[in-house]
Amino acid sequence: MVAAGIDIGSTGTKAVLFDGEIRASIVVPTGWDPKAAGLEAFRQALDCAGIAEGDVHSIVGTGYGRVSLPIFDRKVTEITCHARGAHFLHPETRSVIDIGGQDSKVISVDEHGRVAEFAMNDKCAAGTGRFLQVMAGVLDVSLEQLGQLAVGATPARISSMCAVFAESEVIGLLARGADKGSIAAGIFHSIAGRIQGLAGKVTLSHRVTFSGGVALNRELCSAIGASLGVDMCVPHAPQMVGALGAAIMGFEA
Amino acid sequence: MREICASFDEIAGLRERNAIALKVAKDRGRKVVGTYCLFSPVELIVAAGAIPVSLCGTSATPIPAAEKVLPRSLCPLIKSSYGFALTDTCPFFHFSDLLLAETTCDGKKKMYELLGRMKPLHLMQLPQVQDEAALEYWVLELKRLTRRLEQAFDVQITPEKLAAAVLLLNEERRSLKALQDLLKRKPAPISGMDLLTVLHNRGFTVDKREAIGLIDRLTAELAGLSDNGFSPFTSRTPRILLTGVPVGIGSEKVVRLVEELGGSVVCFESCGAYKKVDPVLPGKDLLRSIAEKYLRVPCSCMSPNTGRLQLLEKLVQEFQADGVIDLTWQGCHTYNVESFTVKRHLQETVQVPFLQIETDYSESDTEQLKVRIEAFLEVIGTRRGGRP
Ligand code: SF4
Ligand code: SF4
């Protein structure tokens, strides 16, 4: 038995094949056509594992684009999927922090990988991948460079949580000749503060897994871990956690 | 719903028909008093021979107009209510001779100062604690309102008229409670959206007796349908209790999403619905009994507001709710802060899953809300031993 999990997010589309173990794990850009991206990721995953489509007994969709594909046997929200995926990778996980392109979530998980509670950021982009992207844009660096810049720097104070206001604040800092490194560190601190606020709404344990593509950024992970006072466990491929959770649910159904 | 239930259809058209009925009544010399809140002692308005109408703004349409004067960050309900007045697009506001308002939350209180420039407005000073001293004060405020109504409409509010008004409004509460209690059945015989439509439109009735008859007929019809096994849901549909800020047609986004995503809203604890059915209890001094009833309203502008916690605990059990959603409008400090207390209380007592949703009247966050609500329904599903 093989199950597929397809996570169609705002920036990346992920596909995982699972048969008790991970058989394939693929990321493609979502672009402007979430449907095509979903099918493409699925096809690539099949190729990679050498499995025929007919042998896949269940396809579970998640992410914002989950409504767009008719091939899904079932659709599950990314909140439930991230909890399942994180629990599979690290069974001792009791909290999951997921920073996605458009929203961030703090999820508390029970010993079976089921969601106990969750909190999500409200309407604005503060504390999301979008915020990071805007800030990297202002500094004219890539996301990876943003992480490298921040290493060892003393964080500059960025008080605005709102992406629009923080943007002008950062421009102001640059104009006053502030060092890019400390601005980058300040940006990470600002996000960490926002996540901390979110985490205050659910019971946060000491066993926290960080999922979502933003978690590839080590500096951000450590900044958030420090501000929450916990050790953050970052999976090898944090962006795949949602698709993995979806595949596991298909496998178990 | 419309196809199978005649009374529902009739009620769905009430708002339009009543705007006309209101004009006819006015032409015949009847007076109209607009209210904004559950704290308004409607008995006094009825005893003064006037028609009470609800002016609480539940539509996003007039908000941009209101934002020319009011801060954008203000609660949408206040902006909507003010916007209707400013643009003169609500017939019920238009026909009101007097506005009745209370010092509830800060935003409303200050908005009323502006409203008072447009129409005669009587402001009641509402105490924000529910004790004996507050009751004494509130009785005086009811007396002051009595005088204002008597002077404005040149009438006398006699004890007989007051007693009749109490009877009538208690009767209305009885009928509204019976309708809502139908949803205690599992599965509920009517969707939350349909119930909300009925409750909302009923607020615009000119003739209360007629409206009571209509609601009773609807309740009987629905009970019959349900006896025959009719329901839009199954016994597995997650049952949601909605608490928090007032909702109506135009601000029904969250109710609609819950039901589109596979839930059933079985109870609205909010002030247009279940909070409203608490009757005036008979006592020696009728005015005092009325004052007691209104001061008991478990609204977040009271501090402390323990009545809401008790009511919620009771309703969760009676309606067999699988989850509680606390809806709070952006800019509503009292409900937003109180959400924490509500969550704690429910976790310590009835232990149902709880979700707070902070939003406004716009559709811009629909996608995010869908994820939240769907995940919440998934949590309920797994708790009941469904698939993880
Ligand atoms: S929530 Fe409170 S202040 Fe608002 S209308 Fe209801 S009773 Fe009045
Ligand atoms: S929802 Fe809150 S802020 Fe808005 S009118 Fe009611 S109590 Fe005031």
Side-chain angles (χ1 to χ4, degrees):
Chain A
M1 282 214 307
V2 188
I6 301 177
D7 175 2
I8 307 183
S10 57
T11 42
T13 293
K14 286 80 69 174
V16 166
L17 294 178
F18 184 86
D19 64 354
E21 274 174 58
I22 301 170
R23 295 288 300 277
S25 179
I26 293 290
V27 191
V28 303
T30 301
W32 50 269
D33 187 352
K35 209 166 163 173
L39 290 172
E40 175 61 19
F42 183 42
R43 195 192 54 73
Q44 285 190 23
L46 291 171
D47 285 353
C48 163
I51 292 172
E53 185 171 346
D55 292 334
V56 175
H57 79 279
S58 170
I59 309 177
V60 177
T62 187
Y64 273 107
R66 69 186 178 285
V67 285
S68 56
L69 262 192
I71 60 166
F72 294 147
D73 297 305
R74 207 177 139 198
K75 298 171 187 106
V76 183
T77 62
E78 44 278 41
I79 294 174
T80 303
C81 290
H82 276 268
R84 289 296 286 155
H87 177 262
F88 175 81
L89 295 171
H90 303 285
E92 70 291 350
T93 290
R94 292 297 171 270
S95 308
V96 180
I97 293 177
D98 163 37
I99 301 188
Q102 299 183 346
D103 50 43
S104 18
K105 311 168 191 85
V106 177
I107 308 163
S108 84
V109 185
D110 72 7
E111 65 274 23
H112 307 291
R114 295 182 306 208
V115 176
E117 279 187 276
F118 62 91
M120 237 172 108
N121 68 316
D122 45 39
K123 279 184 161 186
C124 72
T128 68
R130 179 92 197 98
F131 179 84
L132 270 187
Q133 253 161 12
V134 172
M135 294 306 129
V138 179
L139 293 183
D140 197 22
V141 296
S142 71
L143 277 186
E144 294 86 73
Q145 285 167 323
L146 195 67
Q148 287 148 13
L149 273 175
V151 184
T154 332
R157 223 181 94 79
I158 295 168
S159 43
S160 301
M161 295 279 190
C162 163
V164 178
F165 291 133
E167 186 174 5
S168 30
E169 216 178 325
V170 167
I171 293 172
L173 282 169
L174 280 174
R176 267 176 275 135
D179 160 54
K180 273 194 182 182
S182 60
I183 296 179
I187 290 167
F188 288 156
H189 261 254
S190 154
I191 292 216
R194 185 73 189 193
I195 298 294
Q196 190 173 27
L198 212 51
K201 297 198 170 167
V202 306
T203 332
L204 196 72
S205 78
H206 284 280
R207 278 151 297 183
V208 182
T209 295
F210 201 160
S211 68
V214 173
L216 287 167
N217 208 315
R218 300 285 143 176
E219 282 68 36
L220 179 63
C221 297
S222 49
I224 292 181
S227 95
L228 295 175
V230 297
D231 279 332
M232 300 279 284
C233 167
V234 187
H236 161 69
Q239 74 277 30
M240 302 306 300
V241 174
L244 173 62
I248 294 172
M249 269 181 286
F251 181 73
E252 286 175 350
Chain B
M1 184 89 290
R2 289 169 195 232
E3 312 76 61
I4 52 166
C5 185
S7 315
F8 183 84
D9 210 12
E10 206 172 318
I11 291 170
L14 270 183
R15 192 175 186 274
E16 282 66 36
R17 273 195 289 119
N18 276 300
I20 301 163
L22 196 64
K23 177 156 188 336
V24 173
K26 274 212 71 153
D27 291 345
R28 294 201 185 127
R30 292 286 298 276
K31 298 294 178 190
V32 179
V33 178
T35 65
Y36 286 92
C37 175
L38 192 50
F39 284 106
S40 299
V42 181
E43 282 80 358
L44 294 180
I45 301 173
V46 172
I51 302 169
V53 290
S54 165
L55 300 178
C56 176
T58 58
S59 155
T61 316
I63 287 183
E67 283 176 347
K68 290 188 183 142
V69 179
L70 300 174
R72 292 192 51 160
S73 59
L74 199 63
C75 152
L77 189 155
I78 304 177
K79 288 189 288 189
S80 173
S81 302
Y82 185 69
F84 271 124
L86 202 63
T87 53
D88 200 15
T89 44
C90 169
F92 298 90
F93 179 86
H94 183 84
F95 290 131
S96 292
D97 297 285
L98 177 71
L99 306 176
L100 179 56
E102 301 77 20
T103 52
T104 49
C105 65
D106 288 351
K108 261 190 170 170
K109 192 160 79 186
K110 301 310 280 185
M111 184 273 280
Y112 291 145
E113 291 177 7
L114 303 179
L115 262 192
R117 294 158 174 251
M118 297 184 210
K119 262 192 202 263
L121 180 144
H122 181 84
L123 184 72
M124 298 182 81
Q125 297 289 337
L126 175 74
Q128 311 216 321
V129 61
Q130 295 155 316
D131 63 10
E132 269 307 306
L135 180 63
E136 295 305 325
Y137 184 81
W138 187 231
V139 169
L140 292 178
E141 281 299 287
L142 261 71
K143 289 187 176 153
R144 199 165 64 85
L145 172 63
T146 307
R147 286 195 299 277
R148 172 82 186 245
L149 289 168
E150 287 180 335
Q151 277 160 14
F153 302 149
D154 195 20
V155 289
Q156 241 214 310
I157 299 182
T158 61
E160 294 72 37
K161 286 184 190 162
L162 197 57
V166 168
L167 275 183
L168 178 66
L169 285 152
N170 273 353
E171 186 51 15
E172 179 181 73
R173 293 180 184 116
R174 191 234 4 109
S175 88
L176 289 173
K177 181 171 187 306
L179 171 67
Q180 294 174 69
D181 280 346
L182 266 188
L183 281 82
K184 287 180 180 168
R185 297 189 182 195
K186 201 170 179 173
I190 171 176
S191 70
M193 268 310 294
D194 283 343
L195 176 64
L196 191 66
T197 308
V198 171
L199 294 177
H200 183 84
N201 287 342
R202 185 222 57 90
F204 300 101
T205 40
V206 170
D207 182 343
K208 288 211 175 281
R209 253 185 216 91
E210 189 194 343
I212 294 168
L214 199 53
I215 296 286
D216 283 346
R217 273 211 307 285
L218 175 67
T219 307
E221 278 179 49
L222 288 172
L225 285 169
S226 159
D227 289 342
N228 289 321
F230 175 84
S231 165
F233 308 109
T234 74
S235 58
R236 302 268 318 149
T237 307
R239 298 166 64 84
I240 302 298
L241 184 147
L242 194 83
T243 179
V245 293
V247 259
I249 298 306
S251 61
E252 81 291 348
K253 174 172 71 177
V254 168
V255 183
R256 184 170 27 87
L257 289 176
V258 167
E259 298 198 324
E260 274 172 18
L261 295 169
S264 151
V265 178
V266 291
C267 178
F268 296 84
E269 183 261 347
S270 41
C271 61
Y274 222 86
K275 258 189 200 141
K276 201 185 169 77
V277 303
D278 180 26
V280 173
L281 300 174
K284 281 198 298 295
D285 177 350
L286 204 48
L287 198 70
R288 200 180 170 84
S289 302
I290 298 173
E292 276 172 0
K293 180 245 136 55
Y294 284 99
L295 196 62
R296 268 200 308 271
V297 170
C299 167
S300 66
C301 65
M302 290 291 165
S303 177
N305 184 26
T306 43
R308 180 169 173 220
L309 304 179
Q310 280 145 18
L311 178 61
L312 273 173
E313 210 182 306
K314 175 171 143 277
L315 293 180
V316 164
Q317 284 159 345
E318 289 182 3
F319 282 83
Q320 301 178 60
D322 299 309
V324 172
I325 294 184
D326 189 14
L327 176 63
T328 56
W329 298 135
Q330 271 165 11
C332 173
H333 301 326
T334 54
Y335 275 103
N336 275 321
V337 175
E338 196 166 282
S339 191
F340 183 79
T341 313
V342 170
K343 176 180 171 183
R344 271 290 157 80
H345 184 82
L346 292 177
Q347 277 173 343
E348 282 160 11
T349 54
V350 283
Q351 294 175 343
V352 279
F354 174 91
L355 178 72
Q356 185 201 353
I357 289 182
E358 188 186 342
T359 183
D360 60 11
Y361 288 7
S362 77
E363 296 287 331
S364 60
D365 58 350
T366 305
E367 284 311 309
Q368 271 152 312
L369 288 182
K370 272 190 189 163
V371 175
R372 249 179 251 208
I373 294 169
E374 216 174 322
F376 186 61
L377 295 174
E378 286 168 3
V379 169
I380 291 172
T382 39
R383 261 175 69 111
R384 289 202 306 209
R387 297 185 287 188

